[in-house]
Structure formats: C-alpha cells, structure tokens
Amino acid sequence: MPELFVAGEWRSAAEGGTRDLVDPADGQVFRTVDEASAVDAEAAVLAARRCFDDGRWPATPVAERAALLRRTADLLQRDREETAHTETIDTGKTLAESRTDVDDVTAVFRYYAEQVLVEVDRTVDVGRPEVVSRVVHVPVGVCTLIAPWNYPLLQMSWKVAPALAAGNTVVLKPSEVTPLTTVHLVRLLAEAGVPDGAVNLVLGGGAAVGPVLTSHPAVDLVSFTGGLATGRGILRSAADTVKRVTVELGGKNPNIVFADVDLDTAVDVVLTGVFLHSGQVCSSGTRLIVEDSIADALVAGVAARAPRIRFGSGLTEGVESGPLVSAAHREKVEAYVAIGLAEGAQLVTGGKRPDDPALQRGFFFEPTVFDHCDRSMRIVREENFGPILTVERFTTEAEAVELGNDTEYGLAGAVQTADVERGERVAAALRHGTVWINDFGPYVPQAEWGGMRMSGNGRELGPAGLAEYRETKHVWRNTAPAAAGWFKG
Ligand code: NAD
C-alpha cells in the first residue's frame, strides 16, 4: 500500500521516489517506502488549503473535532502492540519505551480532546452599551508539521492533536529515517473519520520537500522539532511569507547534584537521565554538574553501573538499551568521543562500540563517561545526541547555577538535593524550559514543554500547546450604528 496521503487518497510518489529503511539493530534493510518530492509536497499543501478554505474541518463543530481525537486515542490503544513493534524496528528503542510512547501519545490525544472544549473566548466591556465586543479564537490555517527521528510518533502527536483540535488542516512530514508510525497514525486518523484533505502526509528528505513545506504561500504555520541548524534554516525559509513558526530544537542539559543527596539514588537518576534511548533524547541529562566533595564517589557509581546496561535489539525481552538510529549518527557520536579525548577530558568508561559478537551488525555504542571536563570543551557545549556524560565539578551553589546556565541552549535542567529551599532556589535560577527537582525526565500532557534561547521558541503540550494553533480575533459589533461625527463636511 502506498505511503503518501493527499486529499484523502493513499498514493505513491509522483516522481516514483522510494527509500530503504534500515533496522538499526542489525543494519539490514527491512522495508522500502515511497519518497515524496516537491511535487507531492505541493499537492499536499494545496489539498490542506482547499479543505481549510471550504470549511470542511475548521467549521466542524468543536465537539465533533474532540470526538475524533478521542476515537483516535481508542484506535491507538487498539493497535498498541503493533505500533510499538513498528516504532522499535524503525528507531531501535526498546519495546518498553515504544509502549510508553504509544500510551503517552494516547494521553495527549485525550488531553486535547478535553482542552479544546475549555472556553477561552471572552467579551470585553468597551464602555458603550450598544457595542458587543468579543475576542474569539480561530484556527491559524494550513500547518506543516515536521518531526525528528528520536520520538517519531510522540513528537508528531504533540503537534497533530492540538492542530486538529483547534480546526487547522495539516501536512505531516516525519523524519525520513523513521516514518512508519506516522504512516500508521494517519491511517488511524482516516479510520477515525477525518475529512479528506484535513490530514495529509508526505515522506521524504528535508532538502527535497522542506522548502515547499516551509515557504509555500498557502502554508500559514510551521511547527518543527529537530536540530538547531535545521531550525535556523526553517526560520529563514518561512520569513518571506511571515509564517507563524514554532521551533523545538536541541539541548545540552545540566543535571546539578549537591552533596546532600542519597548517593545510590543520585547514581540512578544520573544514569537514567543520560543513557535512556542511548542518549538520543533532546532533554538528555548529558552534563553532570556535581559538588566536588561527592564527585569521585558519584562518578565511580555511574561508571560501575553503565557497563551493566543490557544491549540488544529493542524487540528482545530484557534488553535495556537499543542501538543508535543509524550508522551515520554513530559516526557523529564517535567523532565527539575523539573530540573529548583531544580536549583532555578523562574517559572513565565506554567510548567505543561493544565487543559482543552478537551486536556487530547493529549501530550500538557503549555508555560513555568523561570526567574532569570544563565548560570550554566542545564535548560539554555541543549537542552530540549520543550516550555521552560529561562531568564538571563545583564548590558553591552560585557556581553550580552559573555552570548550569552557561550553555547556548535552554531546554531542560535538573537539581538533586535534600534541601527543599535550595532545590527551589536553583530551579528558579535555571534558565531552561523544564526544571526537575530530585528527578530527571518526566513530563505530562498538561504541562508545557519547550526551550529557551537556542532550544527554540513556542511551546508544546499544555494550554500553550493549543494556543500555538489558534489566532485571536477581536469582533466588534455596534448594535446601534450612527455617524461618528469626525468629519463635518
Ligand atoms: P533534523 O533537524 O536533522 O531533522 C528534523 C526534521 O527536519 C526531519 O524530518 C528532517 O527531514 C527535516 N528537515 C531537514 N531539513 C529540512 C529542511 N530544510 N526543511 C524542512 N525540514 C527539514 O533533526 P533530527 O536529527 O531528526 O533530530 C534530532 C534533533 O532533534 C536533535 O537536535 C534533538 O535535540 C532535536 N529534538 C528536539 C526536541 C525538543 O522537544 N526540543 C525533541 C526531539 C528532538
């Protein structure tokens, strides 16, 4: 069955393009999918435009739009195992992680089905009894939604659910590396009854279809999650037509640990924060900033447990960590290990591919810890998106905060301490979009997610994640029209 979806019809690429998908756990091609070109992207944008302009989706009553989201949530749960299996083969992540993703995505659809019903329109007292003045919320229009490969279904759903809830029509473009669960999501939206043209799907590389999706005059909004360099290019591409643009970019996220913590718990929090999904997480706790007096003990604890993480195909029961997503990505991570060594960081564990003969065909990489780093090093400053922990030390709270904020990014950060007041003080001082106190990683659909500074602009999830897809409009109705009297002639 073809994988592009335009105006309610599944079709192959207009110019016949295809792409092989590789299973990162064994390096083998497991599927070939259609690959769109600019021609398909243009057709998808125009289909979304028609469906928006003729009112088929934006004029659908909000309760019906909410019901469609709820049906989609039910279908996601019906297909939970199949979807999780697909995500695991595509990305390499473990089945447990993929199942969690499907459940989280389901929760996001359910959340926006409720949230869109919360009344936000308001009347304004303009001081004239004959005037009815109200502020209403309307959909933005045609939205192109561009997602990365690390959480394919999840990142796309954070966009699709609020965009559709608000009455927009959409064109989805998943990462060319991991498109399959987005294809399935579109099938489920079609099964749930979304009108033809409200949801369109193009698969393909950013260079081929990106310019159409981000600069076409028929597109009103671009929502992008991915790397900093790509995000900058998208902001430029969308500038001429003054689109609304949301960019969720990378992170270089500090995890600050004070000496008063329970050491074993802190080791576990650090380990989970940085090595989950082999570090391929935008909010990964890649920068450990630890109080000097416990630094040696904490690093020793992490270094003792990291090599015990069980690698393998994400489909195998008991496996705790999968491979990196591609050969090219592993090469990038390896290049950063070389950079760290050249900069004088001290390699404590990892830094190489695993020796296990059973893992040689996949793109596996050992959890890696570099001690005695400082903030001038590239290994500390640049996102490498791999399983690499860098360790910096501090002696005072002020120094810890300064280090935690000394990054061009501002996505997420954390502080571990037994002192409640200090935890709150440090959390208040950290300039990151999410701050965890005595934890690392959790999020909920009700709470906004997004970055400060180079980690992006705009927010996903929570009420603000819906507001991104709404315009406000002021409607002034004079119930007793009369001459204004400004001009006397
Ligand atoms: P990427 O920037 O390479 O690609 C992201 C998406 O953009 C893909 O679908 C890609 O095809 C598309 N794209 C590439 N060039 C384009 C262009 N010129 N026009 C339009 N689209 C284009 O990122 P990636 O490697 O897929 O993902 C990893 C990055 O995503 C990391 O930097 C990570 O931090 C970031 N990320 C951020 C968040 C967040 O919430 N802030 C979440 C997940 C991932």
Side-chain angles (χ1 to χ4, degrees), residues 146-151 155 158 173-176 204-207 209-211 213-214 224-228 230-231 234 248-251 281-283 383 385 411 449-451 455 460:
I146 304 172
W149 49 256
N150 61 334
Y151 286 86
Q155 295 293 338
W158 289 11
K173 204 221 66 77
S175 166
E176 60 276 30
V209 298
L213 301 181
T214 56
F224 167 78
T225 302
L228 175 57
T230 317
I234 284 173
E248 297 281 354
L249 307 174
V281 183
C282 51
S283 53
E383 186 187 54
F385 226 48
L411 186 60
W449 177 265
S455 288
E460 298 194 296

Side-chain angles (χ1 to χ4, degrees), residues 65-327:
R65 299 203 302 262
L68 179 119
L69 263 63
R70 279 195 297 276
R71 283 198 296 280
T72 307
D74 292 345
L75 294 172
L76 278 159
Q77 283 303 298
R78 182 197 69 188
D79 292 356
R80 180 175 186 259
E81 269 316 293
E82 178 193 345
T83 311
H85 190 272
T86 302
E87 195 75 310
T88 288
I89 294 183
D90 228 6
T91 62
K93 67 175 66 177
T94 63
L95 260 183
E97 287 175 75
S98 295
R99 288 185 188 117
T100 304
D101 286 0
V102 177
D103 292 346
D104 288 355
V105 163
T106 306
V108 167
F109 273 89
R110 295 211 165 114
Y111 170 70
Y112 280 117
E114 298 294 326
Q115 188 63 28
V116 74
L117 298 175
V118 174
E119 295 293 348
V120 285
D121 295 354
R122 64 186 204 275
T123 55
V124 178
D125 182 353
V126 299
R128 286 172 48 182
E130 78 280 16
V131 171
V132 180
S133 167
R134 59 194 200 276
V135 176
V136 299
H137 293 79
V138 295
V140 178
V142 172
C143 305
T144 53
L145 312 177
I146 304 172
W149 49 256
N150 61 334
Y151 286 86
L153 183 67
L154 186 106
Q155 295 293 338
M156 190 57 94
S157 298
W158 289 11
K159 303 177 190 304
V160 175
L164 288 179
N168 300 278
T169 59
V170 296
V171 179
L172 282 56
K173 204 221 66 77
S175 166
E176 60 276 30
V177 186
T178 56
L180 292 181
T181 48
T182 304
V183 175
H184 193 63
L185 176 65
V186 171
R187 290 194 204 292
L188 298 185
L189 287 162
E191 184 179 345
V194 76
D196 294 350
V199 174
N200 305 275
L201 171 66
V202 291
L203 310 186
V209 298
V212 174
L213 301 181
T214 56
S215 69
H216 198 292
V219 173
D220 299 294
L221 178 154
V222 180
S223 178
F224 167 78
T225 302
L228 175 57
T230 317
R232 283 183 173 134
I234 284 173
L235 285 163
R236 278 192 286 268
S237 178
D240 281 348
T241 44
V242 197
K243 298 186 195 316
R244 240 193 219 213
V245 186
T246 298
V247 289
E248 297 281 354
L249 307 174
K252 198 66 192 172
N253 314 289
N255 191 0
I256 298 172
V257 183
F258 284 90
D260 58 5
V261 293
D262 173 72
L263 198 67
D264 288 344
T265 306
V267 166
D268 195 75
V269 169
V270 169
L271 209 66
T272 313
V274 66
F275 295 134
L276 195 78
H277 196 13
S278 290
Q280 303 168 113
V281 183
C282 51
S283 53
S284 161
T286 170
R287 276 183 81 193
L288 172 60
I289 297 174
V290 53
E291 192 163 354
D292 202 35
S293 57
I294 61 156
D296 287 345
L298 187 62
V299 171
V302 172
R305 285 189 58 189
R308 300 209 295 265
I309 293 175
R310 278 176 288 167
F311 282 114
S313 159
L315 295 176
T316 306
E317 205 57 50
V319 159
E320 295 173 327
S321 189
L324 297 178
V325 76
S326 66

